[in-house]
Amino acid sequence: MDVRRRLTLFAVTIAATPLILAGCTADRKPAAGPAPGRAVANPTVTLTPADRARDVPVSAEVGTTVGGGRVTAVKLTDDKGKQLAGEPREDGSSWVPAAPLENGRTYTAEVTATGDHGRTTVGRTTFTTAPKSTRQAITSTLYFAGNQTYGTAMPVTVAFDPGIPKEARAAVQRRLFVKTDPPQPGTWSWLEDGTQVYYRAPDFWKPGTKISVRAGLEGLPIGTRYVGDEDRRATSRIGRQVALEIDNATKQMSVFRDHKLVRKIPVSLGKPSTPSSSGKMVIMEKHQQTTFDTRGSADPYVVDVEDAQRYTWGGEFIHAAPWSEGDQGHTNVSHGCANVSSAAADWLMGITQVGDLITVKGTEVQVRHGNGWTAWNVSWDEFVRGSALPVPPGLKPAPVGSQGHPGAVAGGSSPEPTPSASGG
């Protein structure tokens, strides 16, 4: 399989506007005539689902295998004659409907293939989808909303409950589509337990990039016990570059915008009994006001906080802590959060975006992989090892130093995906 084919397994999405006919439209030279005396064969077309197939999943694509030519048109109609929108995968392996099919309906696909000398063949297949499945639906959550502005470190994250079994991850990954404009291809990477999968490019997103995502999982058979729950879409943009670096040695937070230092802010991190996590994390949520409630834990408390920004599922936030302003810049007294002054927390809320990178260094513990959106807390080589599908070898980070600040990524370890509202 060539590089272009493998790359498009991860970086193709479905058009939002209806397409009745879809196919290759690249400019081409007029076909040369056949050599004298040589017979010209028509192209061959093999389609899936097979003709008269029944109990086809509503997630089905029209698989196309062409010999001696290429697909130039696809038409899919339902049993009432309605034509369905869709788009081919760029590798030509299938044509993907823009929305899930309906249960218990009959569909007919007509695929036109054109050979090098202009001869055409039309392949047809008629199939019937299955009734609504009685299998348990795996709950999926797409952590990428539409019409938002995200930071340059924003990974596309899909969470699953229960986690996806290893043997089913390739099929699920093929139904997760991402398109970037301008193009900045990346790949997906799974947590070991299958509860989260992240998509990112080798380097941080370029400001202004438009990212369109589709998690086309509705009705998808997942192993022998489960099916996918819903088909979700979202399109958003990447905003300005902002990154926060917190150094436990100096108890200072450095704020960078467009790779330039704009402010230093004193912080108080986690005390020795509740240390803060070191590593590369991402702002996940922003709250003008929230409540930390740890009743039931070994250190129970309830406290209202302002200007809180989450960066781990375990409950680490940057937030206003007027009660510790005398310690900020000197002593760690928090329950693991990054305490800053009320004025600094308010200023940060106006600067940061969900998806901005937070780097914490010098604390007693390392963030566990999966405790938050930790896609940047591993090297690129480790990240691609988490893909269930082949990754093009040419997909590599830019040389160190060419991306400006922030710098290289570091390592991570085991998952901790359960959210907590602790903080402190």
Side-chain angles (χ1 to χ4, degrees), residues 15-313:
T17 55
L19 296 176
I20 303 306
L21 297 179
C24 301
T25 57
D27 292 338
R28 59 187 185 275
K29 295 179 179 179
R38 178 179 296 178
V40 177
N42 289 345
T44 60
V45 181
T46 303
L47 303 180
T48 57
D51 193 36
R52 300 183 183 180
R54 304 187 67 82
D55 294 329
V56 174
V58 296
S59 60
E61 304 174 14
V62 179
T64 56
T65 302
V66 177
R70 57 192 176 84
V71 174
T72 51
V74 177
K75 179 181 178 183
L76 181 65
T77 56
D78 64 18
D79 45 19
K80 295 182 180 180
K82 179 182 176 181
Q83 296 182 9
L84 278 65
E87 188 174 80
R89 289 183 181 267
E90 290 183 12
D91 64 359
S93 62
S94 66
W95 187 89
V96 187
L101 304 179
E102 296 182 28
N103 293 110
R105 300 286 299 276
T106 298
Y107 296 87
T108 298
E110 296 183 358
V111 177
T112 302
T114 303
D116 293 338
H117 301 297
R119 295 203 174 202
T120 62
T121 298
V122 177
R124 293 179 177 84
T125 183
T126 296
F127 58 91
T128 301
T129 54
K132 187 173 179 60
S133 178
T134 58
R135 294 185 187 182
Q136 178 182 343
I138 285 183
T139 300
S140 63
T141 304
L142 174 62
Y143 289 104
F144 190 89
N147 301 313
Q148 303 294 310
T149 300
Y150 288 119
T152 57
M154 181 68 178
V156 179
T157 302
V158 185
F160 300 94
D161 182 21
I164 304 297
K166 280 189 176 181
E167 63 273 14
R169 291 177 194 172
V172 171
Q173 188 171 320
R174 274 188 61 84
R175 294 292 297 176
L176 303 176
F177 306 95
V178 178
K179 184 176 182 180
T180 55
D181 183 19
Q184 195 177 349
T187 191
W188 294 92
S189 181
W190 292 84
L191 292 188
E192 183 62 30
D193 65 359
T195 58
Q196 295 181 73
V197 63
Y198 306 127
Y199 184 97
R200 72 169 176 90
D203 301 304
F204 297 103
W205 302 118
K206 296 178 176 64
T209 299
K210 183 172 76 171
I211 302 177
S212 297
V213 180
R214 180 188 180 190
L217 301 175
E218 183 175 334
L220 176 72
I222 300 176
T224 59
R225 297 176 54 192
Y226 304 104
V227 293
D229 59 346
E230 291 188 32
D231 195 284
R232 296 181 173 88
R233 294 176 179 271
T235 297
S236 285
R237 292 188 177 274
I238 300 302
R240 62 181 179 272
Q241 188 276 336
V242 175
L244 312 179
E245 289 191 356
I246 302 173
D247 188 348
N248 186 40
T250 62
K251 308 293 188 293
Q252 296 288 320
M253 174 193 297
S254 298
V255 181
F256 296 87
R257 184 169 57 195
D258 299 326
H259 309 296
K260 297 178 181 178
L261 178 65
V262 294
R263 184 169 176 177
K264 285 199 170 187
I265 297 172
V267 300
S268 178
L269 297 175
K271 57 192 175 184
S273 60
T274 54
S276 300
S277 298
S278 285
K280 291 185 180 293
M281 295 156 276
V282 173
I283 294 174
M284 304 166 67
E285 301 171 350
K286 297 178 64 172
H287 304 276
Q288 290 187 333
Q289 185 173 24
T290 191
T291 300
F292 295 156
D293 185 348
T294 66
R295 288 174 293 185
S297 72
D299 187 11
Y301 61 90
V302 180
V303 61
D304 294 330
V305 297
E306 295 184 350
D307 297 328
Q309 305 190 52
R310 179 194 286 270
Y311 54 93
T312 71
W313 289 124

Side-chain angles (χ1 to χ4, degrees), residues 392-417:
L395 197 60
K396 296 286 188 182
V400 175
S402 65
Q403 294 296 305
H405 192 90
V409 294
S413 54
S414 59
E416 184 187 40

